[in-house]
Amino acid sequence: MENNLVVQSNELILATYTMQKTDKELMLACISQIDSRPDAPEVTKQTEFKVSVDDIKSLFFGKKSKNEQNVYRDMENASKRLYDVDIVMSLPENKILQTRLISSIVYDPDNGEVSLSFAEKILPYLTQLRANFTKYKLLEIGELSSIHSIRLYELVVMWVNQFQYSKDFTLEEFKHVMNVKGKYKQFGHLRQFVIETAINDINENTNYSVSVEYQKKSRGKGFRGLKLSFYKKTLDKLTGADGALSQAAIQSIVDSMQFMNDYNDHPSLSYDGKMQTDAFKREMIHIIQREPESFNKPNKALESYLPKIKH
């Protein structure tokens, strides 16, 4: 687990399933051991992914101490639950895949380890991925406190990679995408235990910032939906009073001739982006939001290209 890089197809990110937080952590600890590149060695349903008590403690407990025997007990219980997990995934041509997640488990209590193998039908969404996938380092979610926080974090990373920086949902759509459909019938409970918990968790413990705006019903009391806005914290100085990313500020940066001169060699630019002004501006709007940390030339931070405020 040297790199702890989690890579999943977007179909799997959006799949429907029910898990507890410890189940998800164990699943991700296994996924982080897979080399998902197209030319990587083949992974089969016989391939085992070993996770130890020490792995779980270092990845998800940080400086918090926890008895090793209790950690192994939690791993064993999580493994048994994962074995019963159904993954339901939407496929092209209006098809739906339902599959188990795990095909086998080996318990090793003497060494404090469990070894899991993934089901055959799930492997194409974890291995030899060429496009439409989401990746992040496992340590980025190590401090998140709930399954809802991890779920929303994965969705936010996926949306940003797809050049989406806000999403509108009805309450039922949001409950579906968060895998809580049929639960939290009272809006107050959904807001307290899912929405606010996940957003606060992500804002405090990850490199993303998320804000929410609730949409009231046109008639009567209550809410009909919500809008999520999100961005990487590197862009904090480019946000507006509402806490959302300022598109006007980003447009001002890409319109700057000095910015174009300084970053015309950015590695994420296409050939057209390097050769044509309009293409440069169009591509840079997305690059800034997706990978703001890449604008790291000395004395050339993104905010330095904003118009100076006159006092």
Side-chain angles (χ1 to χ4, degrees):
M1 293 193 190
E2 292 182 1
N3 295 322
N4 303 129
L5 189 66
V6 175
V7 186
Q8 305 170 73
S9 72
N10 291 341
E11 290 93 341
L12 182 55
I13 292 286
L14 291 168
T16 301
Y17 52 81
T18 300
M19 285 185 195
Q20 296 183 24
K21 178 174 177 282
T22 51
D23 310 351
K24 181 81 171 186
E25 290 172 343
L26 182 59
M27 167 188 162
L28 295 177
C30 292
I31 292 176
S32 71
Q33 300 176 47
I34 298 176
D35 186 341
S36 62
R37 293 173 295 183
D39 57 350
E42 183 182 11
V43 177
T44 71
K45 64 180 181 179
Q46 280 77 39
T47 306
E48 294 183 347
F49 299 95
K50 186 181 296 182
V51 181
S52 70
V53 165
D54 287 341
D55 292 332
I56 294 297
K57 290 179 70 174
S58 65
L59 288 169
F60 300 111
F61 291 117
K63 297 180 180 179
K64 294 178 286 186
S65 61
K66 191 168 183 180
N67 181 279
E68 290 196 5
Q69 186 175 355
N70 290 340
V71 175
Y72 181 77
R73 179 204 62 201
D74 292 344
M75 287 170 54
E76 187 174 287
N77 290 337
S79 300
K80 292 175 181 177
R81 289 191 297 267
L82 283 177
Y83 189 75
D84 292 329
V85 165
D86 266 342
I87 302 287
V88 179
M89 191 183 308
S90 297
L91 302 179
E93 300 178 358
N94 203 31
K95 295 180 180 179
I96 296 175
L97 169 66
Q98 182 174 5
T99 177
R100 283 185 175 272
L101 175 68
I102 300 300
S103 61
S104 66
I105 310 166
V106 176
Y107 303 101
D108 186 357
D110 291 341
N111 292 306
E113 298 172 342
V114 294
S115 299
L116 278 64
S117 297
F118 286 103
E120 187 172 14
K121 285 288 188 178
I122 213 71
L123 289 174
Y125 305 96
L126 296 171
T127 65
Q128 299 183 338
L129 301 176
R130 297 179 182 275
N132 300 318
F133 57 82
T134 296
K135 61 181 180 179
Y136 59 87
K137 290 185 178 180
L138 195 53
L139 292 175
E140 294 174 20
I141 64 163
E143 297 296 323
L144 297 181
S145 63
S146 78
I147 184 66
H148 306 311
S149 305
I150 298 174
R151 174 72 172 177
L152 184 58
Y153 179 84
E154 289 185 332
L155 291 168
V156 166
V157 175
M158 180 190 71
W159 290 327
V160 169
N161 287 340
Q162 294 175 337
F163 313 125
Q164 300 181 70
Y165 312 104
S166 65
K167 294 285 288 186
D168 288 278
F169 299 96
T170 66
L171 293 182
E172 288 306 311
E173 288 170 343
F174 180 78
K175 289 165 72 172
H176 175 76
V177 80
M178 288 295 290
N179 284 336
V180 293
K181 191 173 182 179
K183 302 178 181 179
Y184 302 103
K185 294 183 179 180
Q186 294 185 29
F187 172 75
H189 291 165
L190 178 69
R191 181 173 185 168
Q192 178 181 356
F193 298 115
V194 180
I195 304 171
E196 303 290 353
T197 295
I199 288 177
N200 292 338
D201 215 3
I202 289 171
N203 290 345
E204 291 177 11
N205 298 301
T206 78
N207 59 343
Y208 284 85
S209 181
V210 183
S211 59
V212 61
E213 178 184 344
Y214 296 105
Q215 299 162 345
K216 292 184 177 181
K217 292 179 179 178
S218 56
R219 293 183 179 180
K221 297 182 179 180
F223 297 89
R224 60 178 177 81
L226 57 91
K227 178 180 181 180
L228 296 176
S229 300
F230 32 85
Y231 62 89
K232 285 193 172 181
K233 287 180 180 175
T234 316
L235 296 173
D236 271 337
K237 294 181 180 180
L238 304 183
T239 58
D242 60 354
L245 201 58
S246 169
Q247 298 301 316
I250 294 176
Q251 188 66 55
S252 178
I253 291 171
V254 302
D255 286 341
S256 164
M257 286 301 299
Q258 187 61 55
F259 175 73
M260 185 180 299
N261 291 336
D262 291 339
Y263 283 103
N264 193 49
D265 59 348
H266 195 284
S268 294
L269 279 171
S270 69
Y271 175 79
D272 286 344
K274 294 177 180 179
M275 301 300 294
Q276 300 176 17
T277 299
D278 288 345
F280 173 89
K281 293 181 179 182
R282 185 171 58 251
E283 292 179 22
M284 271 300 180
I285 288 174
H286 296 305
I287 295 171
I288 287 173
Q289 296 175 90
R290 188 182 60 207
E291 44 185 294
E293 65 279 358
S294 64
F295 297 89
N296 53 13
K297 292 183 178 181
N299 302 317
K300 300 185 189 303
L302 288 169
E303 60 267 21
S304 68
Y305 300 97
L306 291 171
K308 298 294 186 289
I309 300 175
K310 295 181 180 181
H311 297 284

